Amino acid sequence: MKIAMVGSGYVGLVSGACFADFGHDVVCIDKDETKIERLRAGMMPIFEPGLGELVAQNVRGGRLSFSTDLPSAIEDAQAIFIAVGTPSRRGDGHADLSYVYAVAQEVAESLKNPAVIVTKSTVPVGTGDEVERIIRESGTSTKFAVVSNPEFLREGAAITDFKRPDRIVIGAEDEWARTVMTEVYRPLFLNRAPILFTSRRSSELIKYAANAFLATKITFINEMADLCEKVGADVQDVSRGIGLDNRIGSKFLHAGPSYGGSCFPKDTLALLKTAEDFNSPVRIVEAVVKTNDTRKRAMGRKVIEALAEAGAGEPRGKKIALLGLTFKPNTDDMRDAPSIAIVQALLDAGADVVAYDPEGMELAAPMMPEVTMARNAYEAVTGADAIVLVTEWDAFRGIDLQRIRQLAAQPVLVDLRNVYNPDEVRSAGFHYTSIGRP
Ligand code: UDX
């Protein structure tokens, strides 16, 4: 089956490479010529474990290619995916759909053979209707259908998530479109991955509801962590104690510095906008967005308090070492990373900030020019008055605690991801602060 993937960013590239790996014939399209040239040369625009090899294998197998020429690339495709960005619109948080609609227009003008047009980009309810209208009004006489097929990939685990999904959601309004989509996902069908067929609008909403629910779960446990600190309870135990209830589930109950990334912050805001447009309040999600935002700077204050509690003094002129900058491990993505607000709070308090991140420093450096980037974790902590673990990269989990204690100027360790064992850290000589633990 021939598939065209319009947009070779994170979602488009991972999906395109995985579809090719299923045996389909895939062209990934992008307007950015440099990106396409680099992809042809085997260079990935993002850091995602396993992606480079998967792309290379499928290019070698003749199933995956790259192009800037949309009209010829979509010509004999039976499924044309729209996987371009839908960033938050400045000012009102609404998803900016201009890229999606521009692709719809371009597809409409070049459509020569029957095709199902699939929105994979995260788009608000009703976008599919608008895409259909744009194509219909272009006057095309070619048969087409517009389908919603949201992605649920996690950065850092995207390939596994694509190949072993919890579910595939397909919002289609007609039988032919459902048949074509079944063929697209046939390899997964055979693996018994649950495929849920819904209306297009339900499918569009499922994506936002899923992300808003997960953001709520994280924010809930983060507030429980704050409460644990006040009442002398341990959030790790509370998490486990509630998570073992099957109705609650143990995942996404890990307290931390706040959620970030390319999806949760943007999608929760877009859901608020949809709710406002349809005059149907989603007050829980409103509270989640506000609580998560406030938490980011509160984490900066937490570090400052830890210095004071350890008797290490005021933050002014102190050297603070951050381990990890990306919004989570195994990605170089800095979008809405809590580290950005933490750095700002520390700089505002007069501290000098040094940081090390295994993959994120290239993107982080221009966002935080005052921060000194170190070559490794041990260099970062040398002479530090406080060490703050911000992102739980594996490399930091196994760090030599005795060694960093010797390298640091003062014994202050703030663990915003609860990765260390409090007893071990204390026996290494640290004054240890974590999240929601006594
Ligand atoms: C998310 C969704 O999981 C995915 O289904 C959707 O398609 C895109 O958005 P992603 O942004 O890659 O994926 O990251 P995810 O692993 O979900 O983590 C999001 C944020 O929540 C991170 O900042 C992470 O550190 C935080 N988080 C996650 C917690 O603080 N605690 C948890 O228990 C889980």
Side-chain angles (χ1 to χ4, degrees), residues 315-322 346-347 349-355 370-372 384-386:
R316 185 156 303 276
K318 294 286 180 328
K319 178 177 170 181
I320 306 210
L322 301 192
L346 295 174
L347 293 173
D352 295 325
V353 182
V354 184
E370 300 92 337
V371 174
T372 309
D385 295 290

Side-chain angles (χ1 to χ4, degrees), residues 402-419:
Q402 306 284 350
R403 187 169 162 208
I404 61 169
R405 170 62 201 97
Q406 277 158 15
L407 292 171
Q410 302 209 63
V412 182
L413 178 58
V414 182
D415 173 4
L416 300 180
R417 302 281 183 171
N418 289 352
V419 300

Side-chain angles (χ1 to χ4, degrees), residues 152-155 207 218 252 254 260 263 327-328 417:
F152 301 99
L153 311 176
R154 283 167 307 161
E155 290 183 20
K207 170 68 194 224
I218 297 167
F252 274 70
H254 197 85
C263 289
F327 81 99
K328 66 171 198 177
R417 302 281 183 171

Side-chain angles (χ1 to χ4, degrees), residues 92-153:
D92 66 0
H94 196 282
D96 180 351
L97 297 171
S98 50
Y99 303 108
V100 172
Y101 294 150
V103 172
Q105 188 63 46
E106 232 185 307
V107 167
E109 285 160 12
S110 338
L111 202 61
K112 295 209 179 72
N113 294 304
V116 174
I117 292 126
V118 194
T119 34
K120 212 166 215 342
S121 306
T122 299
V123 294
V125 178
T127 305
D129 301 3
E130 185 60 16
V131 168
E132 186 173 315
R133 189 190 61 78
I134 291 172
I135 301 174
R136 180 146 297 124
E137 288 183 1
S138 74
T140 184
S141 53
T142 312
K143 179 177 171 185
F144 75 95
V146 176
V147 163
S148 157
N149 170 221
E151 57 82 18
F152 301 99
L153 311 176

Side-chain angles (χ1 to χ4, degrees), residues 10-11 122 150-157 161 167 207 210-211 214-215 217-219 221-222 250-265 267 292 326-329 331 333 335-338 390-392 417:
Y10 192 81
V11 173
T122 299
E151 57 82 18
F152 301 99
L153 311 176
R154 283 167 307 161
E155 290 183 20
D161 281 355
R167 79 310 204 180
K207 170 68 194 224
N211 276 353
L214 293 171
K217 214 172 166 189
I218 297 167
T219 307
I221 203 66
N222 284 343
S250 59
K251 290 185 180 156
F252 274 70
L253 282 180
H254 197 85
S258 75
Y259 63 75
S262 63
C263 289
F264 290 170
D267 294 350
N292 194 66
T326 51
F327 81 99
K328 66 171 198 177
T331 174
D333 202 332
R335 283 175 286 180
D336 276 300
V390 183
T391 317
E392 70 279 32
R417 302 281 183 171

